[in-house]
Amino acid sequence: MRSCWAVCTLCGISWFARIPVEVEYASEFRYRDPILRDGDVVLVISQSGETADTLAAVRKAQEQGVMCLGICNVVGSTIARETDAGVYLHAGPEIGVASTKAFTAQVTVLSMIALKLATGRTLSDDELGQHIQALVDVPGKVREVVEASNETLHDMAQVYRYASNFLYLGRGYNFPVALEGALKLKEISYIHAEGYPAAEMKHGPIALIDRFMPVVFIAMKDSTYDKVLSNIEEVVARDGSVIAITDDKDEELDELCEYVLEIPQTEEFLSPLLTVIPLQLLSYHIAVMRGCHVDQPRNLAKSVTVE
């Protein structure tokens, strides 16, 4: 396999297996005449398995003789039938239009694919065992996050339910989590929100920050922590209200931020499975307090079957 195209969300394949990965929006994939070669693989990701633009990406790739793998939740769906192989999420029915558990299931499956590809390639047996054990431990840590943060998130929702805009910032593995947090807030509470790479804050979004702009930072104790901390200080200097998600107690964050939500430590590539939970729950609490229909947001359909 020379390279792997992932047509949605994030993937750790390039990190573990040292295989080049391109991430594309399915809606743009077929219109930009992608270069696909023998040995390439296209991964398509859809909760419903009926998403029109993702299905069109499958057909475009297959026209060029490329293997397609489907990652979807609904057994027997069109994408499951038309792809060459794939993985069912088995997350159970998504009752709400705004998918939540499917997101974490997708990240889990992609992580497992990355580990499988890296087996015997870049990971030793001991390293693989450590990563698998970290994955096994995730459900218990998710339970810890829910139990520890739910009351705080309820209190936060009372404060922020009147906000008109939110900004979500993250780096590395957690940049897509910033996008997911912003998406959920938009979908179910009808508050405008944007997700950005934290390093891009100075390239435009910083102009929006004032005392009426809540800014959510995913500030993990990794190699970019000091840079993210610098971003937080810049927001505070402009009277922005800062919410931080972190995996380590840090008195400096407590002094700078309005709220700090701590998650248990885990492998860096698995951190999105934990950091996304408080963001999804915050959206839920705000939506309930604003009187929004959480399961059936206005103007949204469960399966997007037309472009």
Side-chain angles (χ1 to χ4, degrees):
M1 182 166 63
R2 190 183 296 122
S3 63
C4 172
W5 291 67
V7 187
C8 195
T9 195
L10 78 165
C11 186
I13 292 172
S14 60
W15 178 262
F16 282 116
R18 301 296 188 265
I19 296 172
V21 176
E22 296 281 350
V23 180
E24 294 281 339
Y25 286 103
S27 56
E28 297 294 328
F29 181 74
R30 65 180 172 140
Y31 292 109
R32 69 180 205 85
D33 196 19
I35 299 173
L36 298 172
R37 301 165 298 177
D38 290 341
D40 289 354
V41 175
V42 171
L43 277 73
V44 294
I45 304 163
S46 168
Q47 192 284 133
S48 67
E50 304 292 344
T51 312
D53 48 17
T54 310
L55 185 57
V58 171
R59 292 166 179 167
K60 175 68 174 180
Q62 289 178 331
E63 285 175 6
Q64 299 188 38
V66 171
M67 178 182 287
C68 291
L69 304 181
I71 298 174
C72 59
N73 195 34
V74 179
V75 176
S77 58
T78 304
I79 288 175
R81 295 195 310 271
E82 294 200 9
T83 47
D84 300 297
V87 181
Y88 283 123
L89 300 177
H90 292 301
E94 274 278 24
I95 303 303
V97 171
S99 176
T100 51
K101 62 185 178 182
F103 176 87
T104 49
Q106 288 163 357
V107 174
T108 301
V109 167
L110 289 170
S111 299
M112 293 170 69
I113 291 173
L115 291 174
K116 181 64 176 177
L117 290 173
T119 302
R121 186 187 187 106
T122 60
L123 290 181
S124 67
D125 290 343
D126 288 343
E127 289 172 324
L128 180 63
Q130 291 171 7
H131 293 318
I132 291 175
Q133 184 58 52
L135 190 56
V136 170
D137 292 340
V138 164
K141 293 181 178 182
V142 169
R143 191 174 298 109
E144 286 181 44
V145 173
V146 173
E147 293 174 353
S149 63
N150 214 29
E151 185 174 341
T152 302
L153 289 165
H154 183 272
D155 294 341
M156 290 168 60
Q158 291 182 313
V159 174
Y160 294 116
R161 59 179 165 164
Y162 299 112
S164 299
N165 301 281
F166 262 76
L167 188 61
Y168 290 73
L169 301 171
R171 295 189 68 150
Y173 288 107
N174 282 291
F175 162 52
V177 176
L179 296 177
E180 166 70 0
L183 177 64
K184 285 298 168 287
L185 192 69
K186 283 184 283 194
E187 285 182 320
I188 66 174
S189 75
Y190 316 143
I191 294 174
H192 174 256
E194 295 293 338
Y196 262 87
E200 295 296 309
M201 186 185 76
K202 294 180 184 178
H203 299 276
I206 197 169
L208 300 172
I209 294 170
D210 59 21
R211 62 193 180 92
F212 300 109
M213 171 71 84
V215 183
V216 180
F217 280 93
I218 305 169
M220 310 304 287
K221 272 297 184 75
D222 55 25
S223 58
T224 62
Y225 176 78
D226 289 340
K227 298 294 185 182
V228 174
L229 183 60
S230 176
N231 290 144
I232 292 174
E233 291 170 341
E234 290 178 331
V235 171
V236 171
R238 289 159 179 80
D239 294 327
S241 178
V242 178
I243 302 164
I245 313 292
T246 186
D247 58 350
D248 190 37
K249 188 169 181 59
D250 189 321
E251 293 182 2
E252 196 166 8
L253 283 180
D254 291 338
E255 293 174 1
L256 289 170
C257 304
E258 297 283 340
Y259 293 94
V260 177
L261 297 170
E262 295 176 23
I263 64 167
Q265 290 186 335
T266 188
E267 298 274 3
E268 185 176 351
F269 78 101
L270 295 176
S271 64
L273 294 171
L274 302 180
T275 55
V276 75
I277 302 301
L279 301 187
Q280 291 177 339
L281 286 173
L282 177 61
S283 299
Y284 165 79
H285 285 298
I286 290 177
V288 169
M289 289 184 185
R290 288 168 64 92
C292 303
H293 197 312
V294 175
D295 287 334
Q296 294 180 320
R298 66 190 183 199
N299 304 333
L300 295 180
K302 185 62 188 165
S303 181
V304 182
T305 55
V306 295
E307 283 195 70

